[in-house]
Amino acid sequence: MENIFDYSMDELKAWFKENNESAFRGKQVYDYLYRGTYEIDEMHTLNESSKAKLKEHFDIFLPKVLEQRTSKDGTVKMLLLLKDDNIIETVIMNYHYGYSVCVSCQIGCKMGCTFCASTKGGMVRDLSAGEILSQVIVAGNIVGERISHVVCMGSGEPLDNYDNVMKFLTLVNAKEGLNLSHRNITISTCGLVEKIYALADKKLQITLAISLHEVTDENRKKIMPIANKYSINDILNSVKYYMETTGRRVSFEYALVRGSNDSEEDAKALVRLLRGMKTHVNLIPVNAIKEMLYLPSSNESVTKFRDILLESGIEATVRREMGSDIDAACGQLRRSYLEKI
Ligand code: SAH
């Protein structure tokens, strides 16, 4: 059985044609799906033979909401159960500009960043394009409104699941489907340099975010194993190429850990690295996770760090902590769930 959400409308049309039905059936099915009809028997305009073929070949399966927690700030964190009983987590954030969904791209992660809960249980498998898309569909069904933004910042490394994530970008953008603009999509990466070049060459209008977190290779290697493969300089070169090729700005994420990467010298070194680039830095006081003793920087050092960037002409904001009362950060809900069972 194939997952129907892996299919674009054109692919569905082609599938019907190959199966001796009119291509038009593909459009009908697609319209049903993206207007919320998931039961084949409720697709009344379809002929019986199309229905029978659909049932035989496709699963119309959306992940089941296993657990749903709503934070005081409106953030909704969901644990979703997939067809093969794997569990992923997806977060819905309610911003003034609309609903943004933080999707997972893999079950687990193999990048091994020391501060991140998603990687602690290792990598299970990639998510298919349809499974990534389903998270946005389920989120839209829950809030009963259009989802306007997507960030690929849940579990997993999006560029390590490159082909499926590229397919997801096509699916989510489809006019007759969710119709989400690429400009409203952010892909966050720990810095897979070759894939950043490949992505740049696609000339998409998505936003790229780089998880930098340290200002020297030596220190970055201590917390992010990927730093053994690519230097900060390699990353910055690929980012410059991305900017030139796509015309988009790239943002950097920097999780501030008390006494570790949050000094004035660190801020100044970050300024030297990013000087001359039109960029934005997201400062995130690190979320403590159970497995590691990391403390977030004090408010005072966060503000100081941000001001040094701002004074040097580098745009910087402190990421509002959302949903911290519901284990919303970075794979933590899934971890705590898996530990219970
Ligand atoms: N693999 C991708 C996307 C997933 S993580 C990446 O590395 O960018 C999304 C962001 O959350 C990354 O910037 C990641 O470094 C950050 N993150 C992970 N664990 C965190 C924690 N405990 N506190 C703060 N940020 C964290």
Side-chain angles (χ1 to χ4, degrees), residues 115-116 153-154 156-158 188-190 211 213 253 255 286-287 289 330:
F115 49 85
C116 180
M153 287 191 188
E157 166 52 49
S188 177
T189 177
C190 61
S211 299
H213 302 322
E253 288 155 281
V286 76
N287 288 297
I289 64 170
C330 314

Side-chain angles (χ1 to χ4, degrees), residues 102-103 106 109 111 113-118 152-159 187-191 209-213 220 224 252-257 284-289 294 319 329-332:
C102 176
V103 296
Q106 294 177 319
C109 184
M111 293 299 134
C113 302
T114 55
F115 49 85
C116 180
S118 298
C152 297
M153 287 191 188
S155 295
E157 166 52 49
L159 296 188
I187 286 190
S188 177
T189 177
C190 61
I210 306 286
S211 299
L212 191 65
H213 302 322
R220 202 164 179 265
M224 301 177 74
F252 289 87
E253 288 155 281
Y254 195 95
L256 289 159
V257 183
I284 319 155
V286 76
N287 288 297
I289 64 170
Y294 280 126
R319 186 174 291 165
C330 314
Q332 299 193 28

Side-chain angles (χ1 to χ4, degrees), residues 147-163:
I147 303 298
S148 61
H149 290 67
V150 168
V151 292
C152 297
M153 287 191 188
S155 295
E157 166 52 49
L159 296 188
D160 184 47
N161 184 14
Y162 186 79
D163 292 341

